Amino acid sequence: MEEDDVEKAVMAYLKKKGFKATELALQEEQSRNSSSSASKTDPDIAKQILSFAESENGPTRYHDGYSKLRSWTYSSLDLYKHELLRVLYPVFIHCFMDLVAKGYSQEARTFFNSFREDHELMHLRDLQKLEGVLCPSHLEEMEFAHSLRQSKVNIKICQYSYELLLQYLHKTQSITMLGIINEHINFQVSPGQPSSISDDADAVILVGSSQDAAKQINEKEIHWGLLEDSVEDRLEKAGALMSDSEKIEGEKEVDLDENKKRSVDGGKQGSSVKKLKKDKIVGTTGKNVRSETNTVSMAPRVKPELTLPVLSTEVEHSILEDLRNRVQLGSAALPSVCFYTFLNTHNGLNCSSISHDGSLVAGGFSDSSLKVWDMAKIGQSTVQGENGTPTEQLSGSENGRRSYTLLQGHAGPVYSATFSPLGDFILSSSSDSTIRLWSTKLNANLVCYKGHNYPVWDVQFSPMGHYFASCSHDRTARIWSMDRIQPLRIMAGHLSDVDCVQWHANCNYIATGSSDKTVRLWDVQSGECVRIFIGHRSMVLSLAMSPDGRYMASGDEDGTIMMWDLSSGRCITPLMGHTSCVWTLDFSGEGSLLASGSADCTVKLWDVTSSTKALKLDEKAGTTNRLRSLKALPTKSSPVYSVRFSRRNLLFAAGVLSKSS
């Protein structure tokens, strides 16, 4: 046995494992020994080293090592099994990618097909992407695979489970598995007993960017408050004055002089003081709800970074009138619900949108058309059943005439539509990679915006109108203004499709949800990412911002909704209840309720205010709290495409009647 072969095998092993210090020390030792007579190596030791080097390079070690680790994990005690199972998926994908990287394509395919069933339930979309990796070059070309190879997976595990795993790896001398775990997994070890199975949703964080980079981004300062001198701001200030005066008057009518002062500040507000006062003293429930929602006015005020459009006096008065007549919602005062059902769409409906006052409903179809229904022009009757189930139907024709306005112009399926805040415009996005602006008054296409290179999945008007945001299969989001055909900003950073986009209440930020399972918050002025929200286990399909700008809700393909604190970037609580994709989310006008619509044919209402208050108390005690589901409203076999709270807090929803299975 030649000693040179042994030295080469040892050097190759040290180089592959990255033991640079040891490699340099061995090289120095070899240079010293080269001048003197070379010592002979025991043939048995040399043989063992070479056989070990050969086994290190063999493809069977991955299959055998993972198979043994898998068998040991599944035979573990139930108390620790669910934590130990978290290790299997990252080990599985890195074993597969290591085999591909070494050129063992056939063995990698066999390994992948042998164990993929274990992970299809939780990670089907990831597996479908990795299935296309067939040669080493694909690992570099596919950004998802490349990012996985460059980053570590964060896994939460208790101290005892961690020690059990290390004990098994050392006892069985599973060098290959130990190397993969050491190189690609970062354990977040916690003292005490294992976490509950219900907390598995955020126990494994598989993300393309490194965790350190995400932490660094989340430390950036953001100003999440409401806009200064907005219509809502002025009304809230006037409302605060009014509540103070009511305390002084002691539940008596406000005198005429007080009314005159307020009418100067708030236009028609003086005439509605009695009505607002009457609403307040209707019952104790109303008082409780109103006191809960006063926290919205405590949000800080920020200056707009964009040049915002100026609202006409007539529009301001209309908005003020809606805000004055807003019904205060809470856990004891749920909203009225109006559900619009699309009939006979022949599986062609891709999206729906409802205007702020519910007067217009739009649908985007696979035949490239956009259809808009005016509720004032069709016969309708809204009935809410005794069990709270809402019903409303849109018929396709009325007396032989078409009851909708047909808007044609796209060259591919329409995937998203959104009404401007005043309802005078509508935007639509399509697979033809364009966005079109339509006038609801002229019923005509005004502008075609071209900038994306692939299908545009979502488009959303800003809360003030004029500006809008879009997101696409090209993994970018873009900011536009109605008067320019080129985008103002391009937000790039997601590792996969950007599926949904939503504006912040102050128009200074937009949020994007992606198939890479993350949500990002972007600064509109600079175009930089200022927050990365990690925790979803499937693609993010819907987003909603609270009216005070403090919280954000995101819904994913698995039916999980997560509530995030924008200032810290932390997940406040997951909302469990839906059994299928959450396609739409919206907060009530004062932010006390969250409505969610899902492919499981239900609209759910969640209590935001009381749960976030309880959460602050529970944080001190170290316990976890989840948002309370107030009510589930089932539809008659209609997946829910969109939900929308009007300014007066009436809840509108829309879906398509599908054949029951």
Side-chain angles (χ1 to χ4, degrees), residues 107-324:
E107 289 84 353
R109 185 61 46 208
T110 303
F111 174 83
F112 188 82
N113 293 332
S114 299
F115 302 109
R116 68 172 293 167
E117 288 185 5
D118 294 345
H119 313 290
E120 281 185 339
L121 181 63
M122 301 299 297
H123 305 282
L124 180 60
R125 290 188 64 85
D126 286 352
L127 297 179
Q128 289 172 344
K129 292 177 186 176
L130 293 173
E131 203 170 17
V133 177
L134 303 174
C135 63
S137 61
H138 290 172
L139 292 174
E140 296 298 324
E141 293 168 1
M142 182 186 289
E143 192 165 351
F144 175 70
H146 180 71
S147 62
L148 289 177
R149 299 270 291 171
Q150 298 299 318
S151 62
K152 284 194 172 186
V153 179
N154 290 295
I155 296 180
K156 294 181 181 178
I157 195 170
C158 78
Q159 182 70 37
Y160 196 73
S161 298
Y162 180 67
E163 291 174 357
L164 280 175
L165 178 63
L166 290 185
Q167 185 180 6
Y168 162 78
L169 293 171
H170 288 297
K171 185 178 179 182
T172 57
Q173 295 185 347
S174 302
I175 304 297
T176 306
M177 296 299 103
L178 183 60
I180 288 176
I181 290 173
N182 179 61
E183 188 175 355
H184 296 292
I185 297 179
N186 178 35
F187 288 103
Q188 297 176 351
V189 183
S190 59
Q193 291 296 314
S195 60
S196 63
I197 298 177
S198 61
D199 292 331
D200 275 7
D202 57 349
V204 181
I205 300 174
L206 191 68
V207 63
S209 58
S210 66
Q211 192 70 8
D212 293 337
K215 285 182 179 178
Q216 189 174 0
I217 289 174
N218 288 349
E219 288 174 357
K220 294 180 180 178
E221 184 181 4
I222 64 170
H223 304 286
W224 54 264
L226 298 175
L227 285 175
E228 289 182 352
D229 201 36
S230 64
V231 178
E232 291 86 349
D233 188 19
R234 276 176 275 161
L235 188 70
E236 282 172 6
K237 288 177 182 176
L241 289 172
M242 183 174 53
S243 61
D244 291 340
S245 67
E246 283 176 2
K247 289 176 185 176
I248 295 170
E249 293 293 327
E251 299 296 338
K252 293 181 181 179
E253 286 192 5
V254 184
D255 60 357
L256 294 174
D257 292 335
E258 194 87 21
N259 281 349
K260 288 178 183 177
K261 290 178 184 178
R262 287 185 190 135
S263 63
V264 173
D265 293 335
K268 296 180 182 177
Q269 190 174 338
S271 61
S272 64
V273 171
K274 290 184 180 179
K275 176 171 174 44
L276 279 170
K277 181 170 183 263
K278 183 180 179 183
D279 289 342
K280 270 196 165 185
I281 62 174
V282 165
T284 55
T285 302
K287 286 183 181 179
N288 292 336
V289 173
R290 184 70 70 124
S291 63
E292 285 177 0
T293 58
N294 280 343
T295 56
V296 176
S297 61
M298 295 166 59
R301 296 310 191 253
V302 299
K303 294 181 179 180
E305 295 180 0
L306 293 172
T307 305
L308 298 178
V310 179
L311 298 178
S312 65
T313 306
E314 183 182 352
V315 171
E316 279 199 5
H317 283 187
S318 174
I319 295 174
L320 284 170
E321 189 65 27
D322 284 339
L323 296 179
R324 287 193 200 101

Side-chain angles (χ1 to χ4, degrees), residues 522-588:
W522 308 83
D523 187 309
V524 168
Q525 188 63 33
S526 65
E528 292 183 354
C529 178
V530 294
R531 288 288 182 274
I532 299 179
F533 304 94
I534 302 169
H536 281 286
R537 303 190 69 172
S538 60
M539 60 190 294
V540 182
L541 299 176
S542 55
L543 295 167
M545 292 284 185
S546 64
D548 63 357
R550 185 190 300 265
Y551 303 113
M552 176 181 67
S554 58
D556 66 21
E557 189 181 31
D558 291 340
T560 302
I561 304 169
M562 289 194 169
M563 186 74 71
W564 307 92
D565 185 339
L566 293 184
S567 58
S568 65
R570 290 176 52 246
C571 176
I572 299 174
T573 176
L575 286 66
M576 306 296 190
H578 285 295
T579 58
S580 188
C581 311
V582 179
W583 282 335
T584 177
L585 294 165
D586 198 24
F587 281 90
S588 61

Side-chain angles (χ1 to χ4, degrees), residues 62-76 84-85 87-89 91-92 95 164-165 168-169 172 174 177-178 180-181 185:
Y62 289 97
H63 190 286
D64 295 342
Y66 179 80
S67 181
K68 290 176 183 177
L69 176 64
R70 176 179 176 273
S71 300
W72 173 79
T73 304
Y74 277 103
S75 61
S76 301
L84 296 171
L85 285 173
V87 180
L88 289 183
Y89 177 63
V91 172
F92 167 74
C95 282
L164 280 175
L165 178 63
Y168 162 78
L169 293 171
T172 57
S174 302
M177 296 299 103
L178 183 60
I180 288 176
I181 290 173
I185 297 179

